[in-house]
């Protein structure tokens, strides 16, 4: 009996298996788009997967992919359109998972403003934040209405999208997120209306993806991370209100009407299978960017994205 108790005591005294530490750089400050990551942390799913995850909000939204490429972060959240441009420039990055599996970006106008149709933008000002990708989306959308970017005046509003639109500085903005800016404008009593890229000539794409350096990434660790966020996504879908309470309890700044509305609007857009890769989607978007003159030639999907679950 004594020997068995000693063995039990030794067993209890053995430290828990060491957690693998990994860092994830967000695309922006914590918001409902990052729900599965925050819920996975709060629910202990990362810990159960043997992970200690450091979540980092970037000082500059342009930094995350660069940090992943340089090996200064294990994972970064980025945007599928951005990935195509960066890989074409030679940046060592690959998509390893999906966070938000539909476009969020939209061309936003005032609901009761002068722009009822995209063709009404002729001779008007359109605000943007990120050169390149947003201009390509806008160019394709204008093309559907028989216009080009030469028919409008582009204004860099430097992330101040809805304020620039509400104040009349511009007549439309590209780069607004339909789950945020639409709600923000409604709350402020100046409702907006979105034209959706995927309904206006742009191939559909994954808005938010996880990227890593293909040469240095730890595949096993990333798969465990994605497995934990998949559990968290299922929890969010099954328990929308409880998951909102868990998420918003992590910061007083999240506890307002805008974030609560955005949470509800984002739930249907989370990737239910974050590892899974739709290769056709990446091939089509690569072709689209090539035809838009934003990338030279096209790269095989294997240079852009991997399905770790299939390996």
């Amino acid at each position: 009996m004594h020997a068995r108790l000693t063995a039990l005591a030794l067993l209890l005294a053995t430290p828990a298996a060491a957690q693998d530490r990994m860092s994830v750089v967000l695309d922006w400050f914590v918001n409902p788009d990052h729900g599965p990551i925050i819920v996975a942390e709060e629910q202990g799913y990362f810990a159960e997967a043997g992970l200690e995850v450091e979540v980092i909000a970037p000082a500059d939204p342009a930094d995350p992919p660069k940090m992943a490429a340089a090996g200064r972060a294990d994972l970064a959240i980025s945007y599928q359109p951005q990935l195509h441009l960066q890989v074409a420039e030679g940046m060592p990055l690959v998509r390893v998972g999906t966070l938000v599996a539909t476009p969020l970006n939209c061309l936003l106008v005032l609901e009761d403003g002068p722009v009822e149709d995209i063709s009404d933008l002729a001779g008007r000002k359109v605000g943007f934040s990120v050169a390149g990708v947003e201009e390509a989306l806008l160019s394709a959308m204008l093309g559907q209405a028989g216009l080009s970017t030469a028919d409008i005046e582009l204004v860099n509003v430097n992330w101040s999208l809805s304020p620039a639109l509400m104040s009349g500085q511009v007549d439309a903005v590209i780069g607004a997120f339909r789950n945020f800016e639409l709600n923000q404008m409604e709350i402020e009593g100046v409702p907006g209306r979105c034209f959706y890229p995927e309904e206006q000539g742009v191939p559909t794409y994954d808005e938010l993806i996880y990227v890593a350096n293909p040469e240095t990434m730890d595949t096993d660790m990333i798969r465990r991370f994605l497995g934990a966020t998949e559990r968290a996504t299922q929890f969010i879908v099954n328990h929308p209100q409880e998951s909102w309470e868990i998420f918003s309890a992590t910061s007083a700044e999240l506890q307002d009407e805008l974030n609560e509305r955005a949470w509800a609007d984002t739930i249907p857009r989370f990737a239910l299978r974050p590892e899974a890769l739709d290769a056709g989607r990446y091939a089509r978007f690569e072709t689209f960017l090539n035809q838009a003159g934003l990338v030279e030639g096209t790269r095989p999907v294997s240079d852009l994205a991997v399905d770790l679950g299939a390996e």
Side-chain angles (χ1 to χ4, degrees), residues 103-126:
L104 292 177
N105 201 329
C106 79
L107 177 66
L108 181 61
V109 299
L110 295 174
E111 189 172 71
D112 57 359
V115 181
E116 290 183 19
D117 191 75
I118 290 180
S119 58
D120 295 331
L121 286 171
R124 296 186 184 274
K125 295 178 178 177
V126 180

PDB file of all heavy atoms in Angstrom, residues 103-126:
ATOM      1  N   PRO A 103     -15.451  37.213 -48.550  1.00  0.00           N
ATOM      2  CA  PRO A 103     -15.028  38.620 -48.539  1.00  0.00           C
ATOM      3  C   PRO A 103     -15.775  39.395 -47.446  1.00  0.00           C
ATOM      4  O   PRO A 103     -16.946  39.118 -47.174  1.00  0.00           O
ATOM      5  CB  PRO A 103     -15.416  39.121 -49.932  1.00  0.00           C
ATOM      6  CG  PRO A 103     -15.486  37.893 -50.784  1.00  0.00           C
ATOM      7  CD  PRO A 103     -15.979  36.819 -49.866  1.00  0.00           C
ATOM      8  N   LEU A 104     -15.093  40.335 -46.813  1.00  0.00           N
ATOM      9  CA  LEU A 104     -15.728  41.304 -45.904  1.00  0.00           C
ATOM     10  C   LEU A 104     -15.714  42.691 -46.541  1.00  0.00           C
ATOM     11  O   LEU A 104     -16.544  43.535 -46.243  1.00  0.00           O
ATOM     12  CB  LEU A 104     -14.984  41.358 -44.569  1.00  0.00           C
ATOM     13  CG  LEU A 104     -15.057  40.113 -43.667  1.00  0.00           C
ATOM     14  CD1 LEU A 104     -14.204  40.306 -42.417  1.00  0.00           C
ATOM     15  CD2 LEU A 104     -16.497  39.779 -43.286  1.00  0.00           C
ATOM     16  N   ASN A 105     -14.732  42.901 -47.400  1.00  0.00           N
ATOM     17  CA  ASN A 105     -14.544  44.181 -48.068  1.00  0.00           C
ATOM     18  C   ASN A 105     -15.782  44.549 -48.889  1.00  0.00           C
ATOM     19  O   ASN A 105     -16.438  43.674 -49.453  1.00  0.00           O
ATOM     20  CB  ASN A 105     -13.344  44.043 -49.011  1.00  0.00           C
ATOM     21  CG  ASN A 105     -12.726  45.369 -49.376  1.00  0.00           C
ATOM     22  OD1 ASN A 105     -13.406  46.379 -49.440  1.00  0.00           O
ATOM     23  ND2 ASN A 105     -11.430  45.358 -49.621  1.00  0.00           N
ATOM     24  N   CYS A 106     -16.096  45.820 -48.941  1.00  0.00           N
ATOM     25  CA  CYS A 106     -17.168  46.254 -49.837  1.00  0.00           C
ATOM     26  C   CYS A 106     -16.936  47.696 -50.270  1.00  0.00           C
ATOM     27  O   CYS A 106     -16.120  48.411 -49.689  1.00  0.00           O
ATOM     28  CB  CYS A 106     -18.538  46.077 -49.188  1.00  0.00           C
ATOM     29  SG  CYS A 106     -19.009  47.339 -47.990  1.00  0.00           S
ATOM     30  N   LEU A 107     -17.655  48.080 -51.321  1.00  0.00           N
ATOM     31  CA  LEU A 107     -17.671  49.465 -51.788  1.00  0.00           C
ATOM     32  C   LEU A 107     -18.875  50.114 -51.121  1.00  0.00           C
ATOM     33  O   LEU A 107     -20.014  49.748 -51.388  1.00  0.00           O
ATOM     34  CB  LEU A 107     -17.795  49.499 -53.310  1.00  0.00           C
ATOM     35  CG  LEU A 107     -17.906  50.880 -53.965  1.00  0.00           C
ATOM     36  CD1 LEU A 107     -16.624  51.671 -53.787  1.00  0.00           C
ATOM     37  CD2 LEU A 107     -18.224  50.741 -55.458  1.00  0.00           C
ATOM     38  N   LEU A 108     -18.612  51.050 -50.231  1.00  0.00           N
ATOM     39  CA  LEU A 108     -19.650  51.587 -49.349  1.00  0.00           C
ATOM     40  C   LEU A 108     -20.051  52.998 -49.779  1.00  0.00           C
ATOM     41  O   LEU A 108     -19.188  53.840 -50.050  1.00  0.00           O
ATOM     42  CB  LEU A 108     -19.098  51.603 -47.917  1.00  0.00           C
ATOM     43  CG  LEU A 108     -19.965  52.089 -46.765  1.00  0.00           C
ATOM     44  CD1 LEU A 108     -21.216  51.229 -46.602  1.00  0.00           C
ATOM     45  CD2 LEU A 108     -19.156  52.076 -45.463  1.00  0.00           C
ATOM     46  N   VAL A 109     -21.355  53.216 -49.851  1.00  0.00           N
ATOM     47  CA  VAL A 109     -21.895  54.545 -50.184  1.00  0.00           C
ATOM     48  C   VAL A 109     -22.962  54.904 -49.148  1.00  0.00           C
ATOM     49  O   VAL A 109     -23.382  54.063 -48.358  1.00  0.00           O
ATOM     50  CB  VAL A 109     -22.512  54.580 -51.606  1.00  0.00           C
ATOM     51  CG1 VAL A 109     -21.470  54.256 -52.658  1.00  0.00           C
ATOM     52  CG2 VAL A 109     -23.707  53.621 -51.709  1.00  0.00           C
ATOM     53  N   LEU A 110     -23.404  56.159 -49.157  1.00  0.00           N
ATOM     54  CA  LEU A 110     -24.501  56.560 -48.278  1.00  0.00           C
ATOM     55  C   LEU A 110     -25.811  55.982 -48.805  1.00  0.00           C
ATOM     56  O   LEU A 110     -26.078  56.020 -50.014  1.00  0.00           O
ATOM     57  CB  LEU A 110     -24.607  58.090 -48.231  1.00  0.00           C
ATOM     58  CG  LEU A 110     -23.426  58.841 -47.622  1.00  0.00           C
ATOM     59  CD1 LEU A 110     -23.619  60.354 -47.779  1.00  0.00           C
ATOM     60  CD2 LEU A 110     -23.236  58.492 -46.155  1.00  0.00           C
ATOM     61  N   GLU A 111     -26.629  55.460 -47.897  1.00  0.00           N
ATOM     62  CA  GLU A 111     -27.881  54.822 -48.317  1.00  0.00           C
ATOM     63  C   GLU A 111     -28.777  55.794 -49.086  1.00  0.00           C
ATOM     64  O   GLU A 111     -29.379  55.433 -50.095  1.00  0.00           O
ATOM     65  CB  GLU A 111     -28.624  54.275 -47.094  1.00  0.00           C
ATOM     66  CG  GLU A 111     -29.825  53.414 -47.456  1.00  0.00           C
ATOM     67  CD  GLU A 111     -30.418  52.737 -46.237  1.00  0.00           C
ATOM     68  OE1 GLU A 111     -31.037  53.442 -45.405  1.00  0.00           O
ATOM     69  OE2 GLU A 111     -30.245  51.517 -46.098  1.00  0.00           O
ATOM     70  N   ASP A 112     -28.852  57.026 -48.608  1.00  0.00           N
ATOM     71  CA  ASP A 112     -29.717  58.001 -49.288  1.00  0.00           C
ATOM     72  C   ASP A 112     -28.901  59.034 -50.057  1.00  0.00           C
ATOM     73  O   ASP A 112     -29.352  60.151 -50.313  1.00  0.00           O
ATOM     74  CB  ASP A 112     -30.640  58.700 -48.273  1.00  0.00           C
ATOM     75  CG  ASP A 112     -29.851  59.378 -47.158  1.00  0.00           C
ATOM     76  OD1 ASP A 112     -28.597  59.275 -47.168  1.00  0.00           O
ATOM     77  OD2 ASP A 112     -30.467  60.016 -46.281  1.00  0.00           O
ATOM     78  N   GLY A 113     -27.684  58.655 -50.450  1.00  0.00           N
ATOM     79  CA  GLY A 113     -26.807  59.577 -51.185  1.00  0.00           C
ATOM     80  C   GLY A 113     -27.035  59.518 -52.680  1.00  0.00           C
ATOM     81  O   GLY A 113     -27.955  58.847 -53.160  1.00  0.00           O
ATOM     82  N   PRO A 114     -26.191  60.208 -53.435  1.00  0.00           N
ATOM     83  CA  PRO A 114     -26.387  60.318 -54.883  1.00  0.00           C
ATOM     84  C   PRO A 114     -26.004  59.061 -55.669  1.00  0.00           C
ATOM     85  O   PRO A 114     -26.332  58.952 -56.846  1.00  0.00           O
ATOM     86  CB  PRO A 114     -25.480  61.491 -55.270  1.00  0.00           C
ATOM     87  CG  PRO A 114     -24.398  61.477 -54.231  1.00  0.00           C
ATOM     88  CD  PRO A 114     -25.048  61.008 -52.962  1.00  0.00           C
ATOM     89  N   VAL A 115     -25.296  58.110 -55.025  1.00  0.00           N
ATOM     90  CA  VAL A 115     -24.820  56.919 -55.752  1.00  0.00           C
ATOM     91  C   VAL A 115     -25.797  55.762 -55.545  1.00  0.00           C
ATOM     92  O   VAL A 115     -25.796  55.102 -54.516  1.00  0.00           O
ATOM     93  CB  VAL A 115     -23.396  56.524 -55.293  1.00  0.00           C
ATOM     94  CG1 VAL A 115     -22.910  55.296 -56.068  1.00  0.00           C
ATOM     95  CG2 VAL A 115     -22.429  57.690 -55.467  1.00  0.00           C
ATOM     96  N   GLU A 116     -26.671  55.583 -56.549  1.00  0.00           N
ATOM     97  CA  GLU A 116     -27.623  54.463 -56.472  1.00  0.00           C
ATOM     98  C   GLU A 116     -27.081  53.241 -57.185  1.00  0.00           C
ATOM     99  O   GLU A 116     -27.419  52.111 -56.863  1.00  0.00           O
ATOM    100  CB  GLU A 116     -28.964  54.877 -57.087  1.00  0.00           C
ATOM    101  CG  GLU A 116     -29.712  55.898 -56.244  1.00  0.00           C
ATOM    102  CD  GLU A 116     -31.068  56.237 -56.829  1.00  0.00           C
ATOM    103  OE1 GLU A 116     -31.583  55.455 -57.653  1.00  0.00           O
ATOM    104  OE2 GLU A 116     -31.603  57.297 -56.451  1.00  0.00           O
ATOM    105  N   ASP A 117     -26.245  53.469 -58.159  1.00  0.00           N
ATOM    106  CA  ASP A 117     -25.658  52.394 -58.946  1.00  0.00           C
ATOM    107  C   ASP A 117     -24.167  52.713 -59.102  1.00  0.00           C
ATOM    108  O   ASP A 117     -23.780  53.881 -58.996  1.00  0.00           O
ATOM    109  CB  ASP A 117     -26.344  52.338 -60.318  1.00  0.00           C
ATOM    110  CG  ASP A 117     -25.962  51.086 -61.084  1.00  0.00           C
ATOM    111  OD1 ASP A 117     -26.462  49.999 -60.736  1.00  0.00           O
ATOM    112  OD2 ASP A 117     -25.146  51.197 -62.007  1.00  0.00           O
ATOM    113  N   ILE A 118     -23.343  51.692 -59.374  1.00  0.00           N
ATOM    114  CA  ILE A 118     -21.904  51.943 -59.500  1.00  0.00           C
ATOM    115  C   ILE A 118     -21.620  52.948 -60.618  1.00  0.00           C
ATOM    116  O   ILE A 118     -20.697  53.755 -60.515  1.00  0.00           O
ATOM    117  CB  ILE A 118     -21.147  50.611 -59.708  1.00  0.00           C
ATOM    118  CG1 ILE A 118     -21.177  49.797 -58.400  1.00  0.00           C
ATOM    119  CG2 ILE A 118     -19.690  50.858 -60.127  1.00  0.00           C
ATOM    120  CD1 ILE A 118     -20.472  48.465 -58.439  1.00  0.00           C
ATOM    121  N   SER A 119     -22.450  52.951 -61.663  1.00  0.00           N
ATOM    122  CA  SER A 119     -22.229  53.889 -62.787  1.00  0.00           C
ATOM    123  C   SER A 119     -22.349  55.351 -62.334  1.00  0.00           C
ATOM    124  O   SER A 119     -21.794  56.258 -62.964  1.00  0.00           O
ATOM    125  CB  SER A 119     -23.211  53.604 -63.920  1.00  0.00           C
ATOM    126  OG  SER A 119     -24.547  53.713 -63.446  1.00  0.00           O
ATOM    127  N   ASP A 120     -23.031  55.563 -61.199  1.00  0.00           N
ATOM    128  CA  ASP A 120     -23.181  56.929 -60.675  1.00  0.00           C
ATOM    129  C   ASP A 120     -21.874  57.485 -60.092  1.00  0.00           C
ATOM    130  O   ASP A 120     -21.815  58.668 -59.721  1.00  0.00           O
ATOM    131  CB  ASP A 120     -24.263  56.975 -59.581  1.00  0.00           C
ATOM    132  CG  ASP A 120     -25.652  56.648 -60.120  1.00  0.00           C
ATOM    133  OD1 ASP A 120     -25.897  56.916 -61.312  1.00  0.00           O
ATOM    134  OD2 ASP A 120     -26.476  56.108 -59.352  1.00  0.00           O
ATOM    135  N   LEU A 121     -20.859  56.644 -59.996  1.00  0.00           N
ATOM    136  CA  LEU A 121     -19.576  57.109 -59.444  1.00  0.00           C
ATOM    137  C   LEU A 121     -18.773  57.940 -60.454  1.00  0.00           C
ATOM    138  O   LEU A 121     -17.773  58.554 -60.079  1.00  0.00           O
ATOM    139  CB  LEU A 121     -18.722  55.920 -58.974  1.00  0.00           C
ATOM    140  CG  LEU A 121     -19.173  55.249 -57.678  1.00  0.00           C
ATOM    141  CD1 LEU A 121     -18.384  53.971 -57.441  1.00  0.00           C
ATOM    142  CD2 LEU A 121     -18.988  56.197 -56.493  1.00  0.00           C
ATOM    143  N   ALA A 122     -19.178  57.950 -61.700  1.00  0.00           N
ATOM    144  CA  ALA A 122     -18.441  58.724 -62.720  1.00  0.00           C
ATOM    145  C   ALA A 122     -18.264  60.166 -62.259  1.00  0.00           C
ATOM    146  O   ALA A 122     -19.230  60.829 -61.866  1.00  0.00           O
ATOM    147  CB  ALA A 122     -19.192  58.680 -64.053  1.00  0.00           C
ATOM    148  N   GLY A 123     -17.014  60.629 -62.250  1.00  0.00           N
ATOM    149  CA  GLY A 123     -16.710  62.003 -61.862  1.00  0.00           C
ATOM    150  C   GLY A 123     -16.728  62.256 -60.366  1.00  0.00           C
ATOM    151  O   GLY A 123     -16.608  63.397 -59.928  1.00  0.00           O
ATOM    152  N   ARG A 124     -16.867  61.190 -59.576  1.00  0.00           N
ATOM    153  CA  ARG A 124     -16.946  61.375 -58.122  1.00  0.00           C
ATOM    154  C   ARG A 124     -15.678  60.873 -57.426  1.00  0.00           C
ATOM    155  O   ARG A 124     -14.824  60.225 -58.029  1.00  0.00           O
ATOM    156  CB  ARG A 124     -18.168  60.643 -57.564  1.00  0.00           C
ATOM    157  CG  ARG A 124     -19.482  61.205 -58.094  1.00  0.00           C
ATOM    158  CD  ARG A 124     -20.687  60.562 -57.422  1.00  0.00           C
ATOM    159  NE  ARG A 124     -21.931  61.034 -58.014  1.00  0.00           N
ATOM    160  CZ  ARG A 124     -22.566  62.143 -57.653  1.00  0.00           C
ATOM    161  NH1 ARG A 124     -22.054  62.915 -56.703  1.00  0.00           N
ATOM    162  NH2 ARG A 124     -23.683  62.500 -58.238  1.00  0.00           N
ATOM    163  N   LYS A 125     -15.603  61.158 -56.100  1.00  0.00           N
ATOM    164  CA  LYS A 125     -14.427  60.788 -55.301  1.00  0.00           C
ATOM    165  C   LYS A 125     -14.664  59.470 -54.566  1.00  0.00           C
ATOM    166  O   LYS A 125     -15.717  59.290 -53.944  1.00  0.00           O
ATOM    167  CB  LYS A 125     -14.123  61.885 -54.270  1.00  0.00           C
ATOM    168  CG  LYS A 125     -13.713  63.213 -54.889  1.00  0.00           C
ATOM    169  CD  LYS A 125     -13.469  64.254 -53.811  1.00  0.00           C
ATOM    170  CE  LYS A 125     -13.007  65.571 -54.441  1.00  0.00           C
ATOM    171  NZ  LYS A 125     -12.821  66.626 -53.423  1.00  0.00           N
ATOM    172  N   VAL A 126     -13.671  58.589 -54.630  1.00  0.00           N
ATOM    173  CA  VAL A 126     -13.738  57.310 -53.924  1.00  0.00           C
ATOM    174  C   VAL A 126     -12.529  57.202 -52.997  1.00  0.00           C
ATOM    175  O   VAL A 126     -11.380  57.315 -53.434  1.00  0.00           O
ATOM    176  CB  VAL A 126     -13.756  56.113 -54.909  1.00  0.00           C
ATOM    177  CG1 VAL A 126     -13.826  54.793 -54.132  1.00  0.00           C
ATOM    178  CG2 VAL A 126     -14.940  56.224 -55.866  1.00  0.00           C
TER     179      VAL A 126
END
